Amino acid sequence: MATHVITGAGSGIGEAVARRLHARGDEIVLHARDAGRAKELAAALPGAQTLVGDLSDPGKLSWALSHQTLPDRVDSLLHIAGVVDLGAVGDLTPKTWINQLNVNLVAPAELTRLLLPQLRVAQGQVIFVNSGSGLNAHAGWAAYGASKHGLKALADALRQEEHGNGVRVTSVYPGRTASPMQAKVHQQEGKEYDPSKWIDPESVATTILMALDLPRDAEVNDLTVRPGR
Ligand SMILES: NC(=O)c1ccc[n+]([C@@H]2O[C@H](COP(=O)([O-])OP(=O)(O)OC[C@H]3O[C@@H](n4cnc5c(N)ncnc54)[C@H](OP(=O)(O)O)[C@@H]3O)[C@@H](O)[C@H]2O)c1
């Protein structure tokens, strides 16, 4: 049975992916920011294991994971957690920059480093949920866009490095998706939020599972998903 480690499983896209993998009987290991959140996630998906570590403090992830039981093999590592804070370059403070770079870029790199041995054993797959902002940067999106451009670089380098070890690497670039993150973006943009205008997280989950379930003779490198309406 396949084992999947999932970040961001408490909300939006990550929650949809975790529910789908849980429903089909795969082993899931849900990453959570703290022990209280881990308890909530495990209660929502009975049988799921959890891993605890705050992604906003990637320097402590190694220590945190060294005190927890890691799976022996990891068939997929799904980086779905993320944060956004809009602001013009003239207004963004280092704190806002650093938080987005840590959660969206440095922590995925560190978690990948820590789980690479288990991914190699399984000849597994790393999936990075990126964003349209990882391909094009727009006014007001500098810090988030920089973190996601960096995430693309991380994925592209890792793909080349791990090809010989049989580890596949996929980046998924969703457009605006109806989730608590998108509600916050609308609030920061001063716009009214209508979730029916945006992609359903279930559709992004379908895209991710498509890449995950592709037979091993092929690897999806990059997938862009845009709102259909
Ligand atoms: N929504 C969109 O329009 C959109 C578009 C393109 C790309 N994306 C990307 O898609 C991914 C998922 O976004 P979403 O819309 O599903 O967002 P969401 O509903 O806000 O969920 C974000 C998840 O990240 C977790 N997280 C945030 N900070 C964390 C930290 N410090 N430590 C551990 N976990 C943390 C949250 O944990 P808690 O549950 O504990 O809060 C939550 O589960 C993100 O990478 C985002 O950048 C989203």
Side-chain angles (χ1 to χ4, degrees), residues 165-188:
N165 292 323
V167 176
R168 302 191 296 188
V169 178
T170 300
S171 289
V172 178
Y173 299 89
R176 291 185 185 237
T177 302
S179 74
M181 175 183 280
Q182 193 50 238
K184 177 182 176 181
V185 165
H186 275 69
Q187 193 188 18
Q188 293 193 330

Side-chain angles (χ1 to χ4, degrees), residues 152-162:
K152 177 184 186 303
L154 165 62
D156 290 347
L158 181 71
R159 184 177 305 111
Q160 283 187 19
E161 289 166 9
E162 291 302 317

Side-chain angles (χ1 to χ4, degrees), residues 39-124:
K39 228 174 166 181
E40 290 171 2
L41 299 187
L45 297 177
Q49 293 170 49
T50 55
L51 269 186
V52 174
D54 186 350
L55 301 180
S56 68
D57 198 353
K60 293 205 179 123
L61 285 173
S62 172
W63 181 88
L65 264 55
S66 72
H67 289 77
Q68 301 172 67
T69 307
L70 300 181
D72 295 335
R73 53 177 286 142
V74 174
D75 295 278
S76 83
L77 171 56
L78 299 146
H79 295 286
I80 309 183
V83 287
V84 67
D85 254 312
L86 302 189
V89 174
D91 300 322
L92 283 169
T93 60
K95 190 176 169 195
T96 310
W97 271 99
I98 288 166
N99 188 49
Q100 289 174 86
L101 290 168
N102 276 347
V103 175
N104 296 349
L105 174 59
V106 184
E110 176 64 347
L111 264 189
T112 302
R113 181 178 80 87
L114 296 170
L115 291 172
L116 257 183
Q118 291 88 335
L119 281 158
R120 288 173 181 153
V121 164
Q123 298 215 314

Side-chain angles (χ1 to χ4, degrees), residues 11 13 33 37 54-55 80 130 144 148 174-175 177 179 182:
S11 175
I13 296 168
R33 64 175 73 227
R37 195 73 180 111
D54 186 350
L55 301 180
I80 309 183
N130 200 304
Y144 179 77
K148 294 295 192 177
T177 302
S179 74
Q182 193 50 238

